[in-house]
Amino acid sequence: MDNTNWVVPSYEKYEFREKKKKYCLCIPIINEGERFLNQLKKVGNYADLVDVVICDGGSTDNSTDKKVLSDLQVRTLLVKTGSGKLSAQLRMGYAYALEQGYEGIITVDGNGKDGPEAIPLFIEQLENGYDMIQGSRYIEGGNAVNTPKIRHIAVKALHIPLINLSGGFKYTDTTNGYRGYSSKYLLDERVKPFREVFDTYELLAYLSVRAPQLGLKTMEVPVSRIYPAKGKVPTKISFVKGNWTLFKILFETLFHQYDPR
């Protein structure tokens, strides 16, 4: 593995236990509070399947207390100190996971919307040789609860068609951050995910389309995504600026702007 040219933000690393599993679960967070901690308690039921790596963007809400994380069976806490947003957090987590020798990575948002009971499904398909595994709330066995209507329409009418046009695979759920990647995929020289251009949400769109573009094994597995019935929607995507950024990324992905040169 040649990581000479990888661009990864600077970060602090806190390891609470040794590597034990073939696969790791990377959870990107920033100030997710009790939602995150409650999610970790549920994830702990699958500690015999995955090592848990927290990819923190710089939380200030005390949700990443090291003793609490260690007690909740987290293997490693990574705290980004360099620049960048979600894609930078993911570059940090994926680089660490690959350097640690994991054979595959599962990613799930840290805001408590996603059901950890799907973790075995991702592992099963990584074992079956799949390279890109997308979680979908819209296929048989999936569960979409309280999805905001405007988000549901945007996903179905815009995001899914453009991602499918870009990659050639018929996804049913493309904004969902619950997915799995083989190490083979992330290390492929035709992919090169460790570039500075991946800063906000670019890496999610790019990795969705790049695998089918390259003929790598791609599939979906059913997952649950449950939004709260009341109160603020747990998301970091602002209605105007955030959605404009996503729209721009979609078209840049469609026109191969993120492909390695």
Side-chain angles (χ1 to χ4, degrees):
M1 180 178 67
D2 181 9
N3 61 0
T4 308
N5 296 318
W6 290 7
V7 180
V8 179
S10 57
Y11 63 90
E12 297 173 352
K13 176 178 67 177
Y14 305 92
E15 292 181 330
F16 308 122
R17 44 185 47 83
E18 296 296 316
K19 175 181 180 291
K20 293 183 178 179
K21 308 301 177 187
K22 288 172 63 175
Y23 305 109
C24 72
L25 178 71
C26 284
I27 307 180
I29 62 159
I30 183 164
N31 293 327
E32 297 295 352
E34 287 300 316
R35 291 191 299 266
F36 165 60
L37 295 175
N38 289 334
Q39 180 181 22
L40 271 187
K41 293 172 186 175
K42 298 175 184 176
V43 167
N45 294 324
Y46 302 92
D48 59 332
L49 298 177
V50 288
D51 288 337
V52 178
V53 177
I54 306 303
C55 307
D56 182 29
S59 296
T60 56
D61 63 354
N62 297 318
S63 62
T64 55
D65 178 273
K66 298 177 186 61
K67 184 180 186 308
V68 171
L69 295 185
S70 180
D71 289 345
L72 289 172
Q73 303 183 72
V74 169
R75 188 208 160 191
T76 304
L77 167 66
L78 306 175
V79 181
K80 184 175 67 64
T81 57
S83 63
K85 297 185 179 180
L86 177 60
S87 289
Q89 287 172 250
L90 295 176
R91 280 188 283 129
M92 170 183 72
Y94 297 167
Y96 171 81
L98 294 172
E99 289 164 353
Q100 290 287 303
Y102 288 104
E103 295 181 26
I105 300 167
I106 303 165
T107 305
V108 63
D109 294 343
N111 52 25
K113 295 198 300 278
D114 301 295
E117 66 277 358
I119 290 171
L121 298 178
F122 287 97
I123 292 175
E124 178 185 3
Q125 299 309 330
L126 286 168
E127 289 282 293
N128 287 338
Y130 279 87
D131 298 296
M132 166 66 204
I133 306 156
Q134 173 66 60
S136 174
R137 71 199 107 167
Y138 297 123
I139 60 175
E140 184 177 355
N143 198 18
V145 179
N146 299 324
T147 306
K149 186 171 290 186
I150 187 67
R151 183 157 303 195
H152 177 82
I153 293 171
V155 170
K156 290 285 191 177
L158 181 64
H159 206 278
I160 290 172
L162 286 175
I163 288 291
N164 291 352
L165 181 62
S166 300
F169 182 83
K170 292 185 177 180
Y171 290 109
T172 64
D173 195 355
T174 51
T175 59
N176 201 327
Y178 205 174
R179 64 247 317 258
Y181 308 111
S182 71
S183 294
K184 182 189 81 173
Y185 175 34
L186 296 177
L187 290 170
D188 192 309
E189 281 299 306
R190 299 169 296 174
V191 180
K192 295 186 176 180
F194 301 105
R195 290 177 278 142
E196 203 166 14
V197 67
F198 300 120
D199 182 71
T200 59
Y201 305 105
E202 301 91 353
L203 193 57
L204 294 174
Y206 171 70
L207 289 176
S208 294
V209 305
R210 195 62 176 156
Q213 283 175 351
L214 297 175
L216 299 178
K217 293 183 70 175
T218 304
M219 70 171 303
E220 291 186 318
V221 296
V223 300
S224 294
R225 172 155 280 206
I226 302 174
Y227 285 81
K230 299 186 290 188
K232 186 179 179 182
V233 174
T235 182
K236 294 293 187 292
I237 302 173
S238 62
F239 184 76
V240 177
K241 185 178 179 181
N243 282 299
W244 167 248
T245 299
L246 288 178
F247 185 73
K248 179 172 175 286
I249 288 168
L250 280 175
F251 278 93
E252 289 175 341
T253 302
L254 178 63
F255 291 103
H256 298 270
Q257 295 300 301
Y258 302 120
D259 294 2
R261 304 302 179 197

